[in-house]
Amino acid sequence: MSPASTGRSVAPVTGNAVAIKNFAFSPATLKVKAGTTVTWTNQDTDAHTLTSAGSGGPLHSAALATHATYTYTFTKPGTYAYLCTIHPFMTGTVEVT
């Protein structure tokens, strides 16, 4: 069995899409290159938001209804933590290189 197939889900995932389902952001940590546009899609029946953790962050969505999407283009490297302001236990991170 190769190390990549051990089923560990803690490693950051690369891509440009995050699902909001079962009151969680999936993947919880997304790795992208600067210039990537990331799309979040709400797959829950409850509304969720996407808001930067801390002040001054770039992510500020309205409440997303079921199947609604929010997109943001990350232009600067860094780590962007975010949460759902309606359900603050829902957190995620985008790592931009």
Side-chain angles (χ1 to χ4, degrees), residues 22-79:
N22 300 321
F23 290 85
F25 296 106
S26 179
T29 301
L30 183 70
K31 283 187 110 157
V32 300
K33 295 198 179 312
T36 301
T37 299
V38 176
T39 300
W40 288 262
T41 303
N42 184 8
Q43 299 176 3
D44 279 342
T45 54
D46 288 59
H48 297 295
T49 68
L50 199 74
T51 306
S52 291
S55 60
L59 303 173
H60 297 285
S61 78
L64 301 176
T66 304
H67 304 301
T69 61
Y70 175 75
T71 59
Y72 182 79
T73 301
F74 291 90
T75 57
K76 295 182 178 161
T79 300

Side-chain angles (χ1 to χ4, degrees), residues 12 16 18 23 31-32 44 68 78 80 86 96:
N16 65 351
V18 178
F23 290 85
K31 283 187 110 157
V32 300
D44 279 342
Y80 297 83
I86 302 168
V96 183

